[in-house]
Amino acid sequence: MIRPNVILAQAREFLQDKVQPYRFSDDTLLLYLNMGLKDAKRIRPDLFLAIWGPVPNVTTGNLTTPIDIEEQFENAFAMFVVGAAELAIDEFTQDSRAVIMSQRFVTMLTTAT
Amino acid sequence: MYVTQPLADIQPLIVQLLTENNGTTEAGVRSVLYDAMRDFCQRSLAVRCDDQETLAANTSALVLPQDGTVEPVKVLKIRYADGSGRWLVPQDAHPYVPVVGDPRRFYQPAPDQVVFDGKPQRDIPLTLITAVKPVTLAAQIPASLYNEHFEAIIAGARGRLWTQKNRPYSSTQDGNVQLRRAIAMAGEARVRAEAGNTTGAPAWQYPFWA
């Protein structure tokens, strides 16, 4: 199962945003994670077979509750959160990384490597 | 009630498919595996078991059970289990209005229903030799399906996985090859099963009235 708190920790590692006060609040990163979950359902609906129904909505209240999606896809969601966070930063050097991270999310869901 | 038969766990099949195909999910593999097994059983009629039923007096129809592991595909033969050993003759059309007396023919309007051409005046125990298929997502499957038709099931599951679009394991051409293999193996299994899984002895016998 994927763990939202672990995904956020991985994303903070990539964003180098580990020291409080955070540049990206938990609420902001969770917003991106929820966007990623909806995108994942569009690209790979079979990931949600075990929890078929509305896409889970992660909040700070259920951050530690695992979601029944196989853990091999945990890194993909971390990539999505990082990509979405970097898209929000209006700095040129971040844009290409943001695109790479967003594409990495799709690649990890749809190709073998 | 189906005669108790050995059962097998499908976990080895799931593990094989998960390890062969990057990016699959266990729920997805389980779903295609059950589709492949049920399709194989319907095409081949090779997984069979005895079903002991009683035709109640003054009735001419039976509804076959689903026992949580298997469900009926087709009743192949029916024999009286009262010691007479008489066989009933299958019909491919609805017989007609049943007459009073022991039935001699049967017809299946649906996989789980049997209609007879006679209404007995006593309860008659019957043995139905029934082709079955696994119930969707049952915890276990008949051991004969796992032991004897492993390759056919794996080929069918692979074919269904590989023909999915936009997946890490998608490969439409290879998937179609696997599906054709699975169908061919189901055909071979059907021929073997109809020959009674023997190599030389006749697999038929004269009807009881001959």
Side-chain angles (χ1 to χ4, degrees):
Chain A
M1 299 202 203
I2 63 171
R3 298 153 293 176
N5 55 328
V6 171
I7 292 171
L8 258 57
Q10 288 176 345
R12 290 197 181 285
E13 194 66 44
F14 278 108
L15 293 167
Q16 288 297 295
D17 185 25
K18 298 181 287 185
V19 178
Q20 293 196 359
Y22 295 130
R23 184 173 187 180
F24 298 99
S25 67
D26 276 359
D27 284 338
T28 303
L29 293 183
L30 287 176
L31 172 68
Y32 300 147
L33 176 58
N34 289 324
M35 288 165 57
L37 286 167
K38 292 183 176 75
D39 238 11
K41 188 151 188 192
R42 177 181 61 82
I43 299 169
R44 289 287 304 273
D46 59 308
L47 298 188
F48 295 80
L49 271 177
I51 48 170
W52 199 253
V55 175
N57 187 53
V58 185
T59 63
T60 49
N62 61 4
L63 199 57
T64 54
T65 305
I67 301 173
D68 199 356
I69 294 172
E70 293 198 6
E71 60 187 11
Q72 59 180 308
F73 301 104
E74 199 169 69
N75 294 346
F77 288 103
M79 297 291 118
F80 184 94
V81 171
V82 172
E86 291 185 339
L87 273 175
I89 303 171
D90 190 21
E91 295 171 17
F92 174 77
T93 53
Q94 301 300 329
D95 283 351
S96 58
R97 228 172 85 115
V99 168
I100 289 170
M101 288 298 187
S102 299
Q103 284 174 346
R104 186 87 185 108
F105 167 73
V106 175
T107 305
M108 288 174 85
L109 293 186
T110 58
T111 60
T113 52
Chain B
M1 167 176 323
Y2 295 112
V3 172
T4 306
Q5 52 180 314
L7 298 174
D9 194 4
I10 67 161
Q11 197 61 21
L13 292 164
I14 293 174
V15 168
Q16 173 152 348
L17 289 167
L18 284 172
T19 52
E20 280 178 359
N21 300 288
N22 298 344
T24 44
T25 63
E26 184 166 339
V29 162
R30 201 176 279 273
S31 172
V32 299
L33 203 47
Y34 273 95
D35 286 346
M37 287 192 290
R38 287 166 65 83
D39 187 52
F40 173 84
C41 288
Q42 283 190 252
R43 287 178 187 272
S44 68
L45 304 181
V47 180
R48 303 176 178 192
C49 60
D50 288 354
D51 178 19
Q52 311 290 356
E53 298 290 337
T54 301
L55 181 62
N58 296 315
T59 62
S60 61
L62 275 178
V63 176
L64 303 182
Q66 176 183 314
D67 71 355
T69 305
V70 295
E71 58 188 17
V73 174
K74 184 177 179 179
V75 175
L76 302 167
K77 295 177 187 168
I78 301 180
R79 188 181 66 226
Y80 279 74
D82 58 359
S84 66
R86 289 182 292 163
W87 294 91
L88 281 76
V89 179
Q91 299 282 142
D92 60 3
H94 198 294
Y96 19 46
V97 178
V99 298
V100 174
D102 288 355
R104 294 173 59 171
R105 300 182 185 85
F106 71 93
Y107 165 69
Q108 275 201 277
D112 63 342
Q113 297 173 23
V114 183
V115 173
F116 298 92
D117 68 342
K119 277 190 186 179
Q121 293 178 297
R122 58 191 168 90
D123 289 352
I124 296 185
L126 298 170
T127 299
L128 285 68
I129 298 170
T130 309
V132 297
K133 61 185 176 184
V135 169
T136 304
L137 300 179
Q140 292 182 301
I141 59 172
S144 60
L145 176 59
Y146 178 92
N147 293 332
E148 295 165 28
H149 306 293
F150 183 92
E151 271 302 317
I153 297 165
I154 288 286
R158 277 184 194 140
R160 283 167 174 77
L161 278 176
W162 294 353
T163 49
Q164 292 175 10
K165 291 193 166 62
N166 299 325
R167 298 282 188 270
Y169 43 85
S170 297
S171 177
T172 310
Q173 214 166 352
D174 294 337
N176 286 330
V177 168
Q178 292 294 320
L179 286 174
R180 283 198 292 273
R181 271 189 76 217
I183 291 171
M185 284 194 268
E188 287 170 15
R190 182 166 187 151
V191 168
R192 269 203 311 278
E194 285 177 358
N197 291 309
T198 61
T199 53
W204 48 267
Q205 61 183 142
Y206 287 106
F208 66 88
W209 66 80

